């Protein structure tokens, strides 16, 4: 079973069009005007009850086995009205030097009570293909905290490699809520460090389609504490277009042919106190070109079957698809209990037990939108294409 249902879209623009708004659910908030979507509207719409009733996007039905493709009849692109000819997905090579975007530590927020003393300690750095990483300009520093940074990780029971376990969550990871086709859904997303301090990263298949509406990010969501750090709505332009960046080839070729590009960035607006999301919860460093094999990676996601997020630690390996309909190479990790809802969850290296941040080298997605079994997950490889998409998002999401 695939992680989520995706919609084959062929929009020419990078930004997702707002389009008509769905009718409000019975007893829920009224539809929001297309040009107005701030924190007040987001919190009025996404009540705790509506968030609790949200579901993962329905699974994609299994595809029939493909017949051998005749040389004289190549497969046509998914989107017939695309204005440009589709390009084959670029499979990055591990020799690209890692690109590190350093994070800034989070600033304590009065709305969150101190977490219990963590038992998770800083992980040892995983080996990288090259000894001299290239560093992009660091984001502007956060305001100095009034007191030492509090522990960000809750107490996590010990578990063996590959064993998923529910836990209290990390402030930097949360649920991305959205409306599609009149239904309330969610995926997983996380904050990625940026100069504007206002970007989150998720899977492209979660945010694809012009009917994706009322999008908002909630850090460290749990059923018991649905808004511990508030809510951060995905920004809309005056024309009602959500500021979401997805590689154009993913739109034109579809979720299978362009599975190696299943990554999206979104700009979120200020939270209830007018503060930017990275200033509130911190941000993970984006690392590209780091290779496929890592001795210790932490996988975090929000399963549909649990009221809290799930954490797992294991090694990652390289998986190269043998299915011509889903070309490319992907990161693969065996972790138990990652069904629908976990799409977009980060693959983290060097997770710091003090700040609760690390290096993000993948998100659940890619091959079969994250995998067809809940105990094995995949990610598109973060190479030059993802770096360019991030840079485009940074340019488009500059803080005013």
């Amino acid at each position: 079973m695939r992680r989520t249902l995706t919609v084959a879209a062929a929009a020419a623009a990078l930004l997702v069009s707002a389009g008509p708004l769905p009718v409000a659910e019975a007893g829920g908030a009224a539809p929001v005007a297309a040009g107005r979507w701030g924190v007040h509207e987001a919190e009025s719409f996404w009540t705790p009850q509506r968030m609790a009733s949200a579901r993962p996007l329905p699974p994609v039905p299994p595809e029939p086995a493909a017949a051998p493709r005749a040389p004289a009849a190549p497969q046509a692109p998914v989107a017939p009205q695309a204005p440009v000819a589709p390009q084959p997905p670029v499979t990055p090579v591990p020799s690209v030097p890692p690109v590190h975007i350093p994070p800034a530590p989070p600033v304590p927020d009065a709305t969150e009570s101190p977490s219990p003393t963590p038992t998770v300690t800083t992980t040892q750095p995983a080996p990288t293909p090259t000894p001299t990483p290239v560093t992009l300009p660091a984001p502007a520093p956060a305001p100095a905290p009034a007191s030492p940074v509090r522990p960000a990780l809750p107490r996590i029971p010990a578990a063996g490699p590959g064993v998923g376990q529910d836990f209290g969550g990390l402030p930097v990871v949360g649920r991305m809520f959205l409306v599609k086709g009149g239904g309330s859904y969610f995926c997983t997303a996380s904050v990625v460090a940026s100069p504007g301090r206002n970007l989150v990263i998720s899977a492209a298949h979660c945010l694809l389609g012009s009917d994706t509406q009322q999008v908002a990010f909630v850090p460290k969501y749990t059923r018991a504490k649905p808004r511990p750090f508030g809510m951060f709505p995905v920004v809309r332009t005056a024309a009602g277009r959500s500021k979401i960046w997805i590689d154009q080839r993913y739109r034109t070729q579809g979720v299978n042919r362009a599975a190696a590009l299943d990554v999206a960035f979104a700009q979120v607006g200020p939270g209830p106190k007018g503060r930017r999301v990275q200033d509130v919860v911190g941000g993970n460093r984006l690392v590209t070109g780091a290779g496929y094999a890592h001795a210790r990676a932490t996988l975090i996601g929000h399963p549909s079957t649990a009221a809290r997020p799930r954490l797992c630690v294991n090694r990652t390996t390289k998986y190269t698809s043998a299915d011509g309909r889903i070309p490319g190479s992907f990161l693969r990790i065996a972790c138990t209990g990652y069904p629908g809802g976990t799409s977009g969850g980060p693959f983290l290296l060097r997770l710091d037990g003090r700040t609760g941040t690390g290096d993000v080298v993948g998100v659940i997605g890619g091959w079969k939108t994250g995998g067809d079994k809940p105990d094995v997950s995949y990610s598109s490889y973060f190479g030059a294409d993802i770096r360019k998409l991030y840079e485009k998002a940074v340019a488009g999401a500059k803080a005013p």
Side-chain angles (χ1 to χ4, degrees), residues 91-94 129 290-294 316-319 329-332 381:
T91 303
V93 294
Y292 298 86
H294 302 286
T316 64
T317 57
K318 182 178 182 178
Y319 173 79
S329 295
F330 307 88
L331 274 72
R332 179 185 183 274
Y381 178 69

Side-chain angles (χ1 to χ4, degrees), residues 115-120 151-156 353-354:
S115 302
T117 302
T119 59
V120 173
L153 288 175
R155 188 178 303 277
I156 301 175
R354 184 181 68 92

Side-chain angles (χ1 to χ4, degrees), residues 3 25 51 53 60 122 127 135 159-160 163 178 236 258 303 369 389 399:
R3 298 299 161 88
E25 298 174 9
M51 287 190 285
S53 65
V60 174
T122 305
T135 304
V163 178
L178 57 105
R236 291 180 183 173
T369 61
L389 185 65

Side-chain angles (χ1 to χ4, degrees), residues 5 32 55 58 91 144 162 224 231 285 298 301 343 350:
L5 172 64
V32 180
R55 309 180 305 278
T91 303
M231 182 174 289
R285 294 167 292 268
T298 301
S343 285
R350 294 172 282 275

